[in-house]
Amino acid sequence: MGLREENAARTRRTILDVALGLFLDHGYESTTMEEIAAAAGVGSSTLYRYFASKDLLLVEPLQVVGRLADALLRRPEQEPIEVALGEMLLDVLAAPREHSLVTRAQAVVHATPSVRGRVLELVADERRELEQAVLARMGRERGDLQALMTARTAGLVLEYYSELSEQMQADGVWTPEVEVRREGIAVHLRETLARLTVAPPLLPRLP
């Protein structure tokens, strides 16, 4: 990364840090873009160049759109789809993240009903991206039920881990400042997937 890119990344991080702090202290709706720019020490034009709208300051820390699909498409073509999906989940869960930003963004979203719809859009976009990647990987046509349910099951595993991390933080068992190594995540994920294999979810049926 060159000096220009480093400075841009630092400015972006500062803006996000300041914005989330203001959202938590004064409320998302009450905080203006001009107040964020002033507190971050940048001009309004600079702020809008990095974040074209206020909701993007919440969306970016939470955004994973395309990450699952990209991680799947990077796996070797000859790898079984089940293994490829497991490795995809591990890559995404173990990827370096600004956990403090994520945690604070989640807190703002939980306290601000008006922005929850935007987050739900992100989840839907991620689901569609992954479904297309799984369909391509399995060589199936659009609408193939097994491929679509395969993709959605993988997404549910990721959702489970997101909720688990929130619960662990609420219980004081873990904080974002504590580094979790990839090896530790792999052990836990392997155990979780093994439990699902031994006792899979029951499918609805009609008598």
Side-chain angles (χ1 to χ4, degrees):
M1 183 182 293
L3 181 59
R4 179 178 297 180
E5 290 79 8
E6 288 181 1
N7 288 336
R10 188 178 302 111
T11 299
R12 195 176 201 87
R13 176 64 171 78
T14 297
I15 292 171
L16 282 171
D17 189 54
V18 168
L20 292 174
L22 289 174
F23 293 158
L24 288 171
D25 290 342
H26 305 294
Y28 174 83
E29 301 290 358
S30 300
T31 302
T32 67
M33 291 289 274
E34 290 70 24
E35 289 171 337
I36 294 169
V42 301
S44 293
S45 60
T46 299
L47 172 59
Y48 280 102
R49 188 167 66 250
Y50 283 94
F51 300 96
S53 60
K54 189 166 70 168
D55 66 329
L56 292 178
L57 289 158
L58 280 180
V59 166
E60 181 162 311
L62 302 175
Q63 191 161 17
V64 295
V65 173
R67 287 176 57 194
L68 287 172
D70 289 345
L72 177 61
L73 294 174
R74 286 197 300 268
R75 302 304 306 170
E77 291 184 8
Q78 69 277 13
E79 192 173 54
I81 183 65
E82 302 94 319
V83 176
L85 287 169
E87 294 289 348
M88 171 202 75
L89 287 170
L90 178 58
D91 285 345
V92 171
L93 289 171
R97 299 183 70 189
E98 291 277 6
H99 288 293
S100 62
L101 292 180
V102 173
T103 302
R104 287 186 291 162
Q106 289 173 335
V108 175
V109 169
H110 290 162
T112 316
S114 62
V115 298
R116 291 177 191 164
R118 185 72 178 93
V119 175
L120 290 176
E121 288 178 17
L122 286 178
V123 174
D125 288 344
E126 179 65 42
R127 187 189 67 224
R128 285 189 288 267
E129 292 271 355
L130 180 58
E131 287 172 357
Q132 293 304 310
V134 171
L135 285 168
R137 178 70 181 239
M138 296 178 69
R140 303 291 180 85
E141 297 294 327
R142 178 182 178 184
D144 182 86
L145 183 61
Q146 184 186 36
L148 293 177
M149 291 300 104
T150 296
R152 294 193 182 193
T153 300
L156 286 173
V157 173
L158 186 66
E159 184 178 326
Y160 163 77
Y161 271 94
S162 176
E163 294 176 354
L164 179 62
S165 67
E166 290 185 33
Q167 186 60 53
M168 291 174 67
Q169 291 177 61
D171 293 343
V173 177
W174 175 78
T175 63
E177 290 72 27
V178 177
E179 180 184 3
V180 181
R181 296 185 179 277
R182 181 184 178 91
E183 294 79 7
I185 295 173
V187 169
H188 196 284
L189 178 60
R190 190 173 290 109
E191 292 175 351
T192 299
L193 298 178
R195 286 162 55 198
L196 286 173
T197 301
V198 172
L202 300 177
L203 294 176
R205 67 182 179 87
L206 293 174

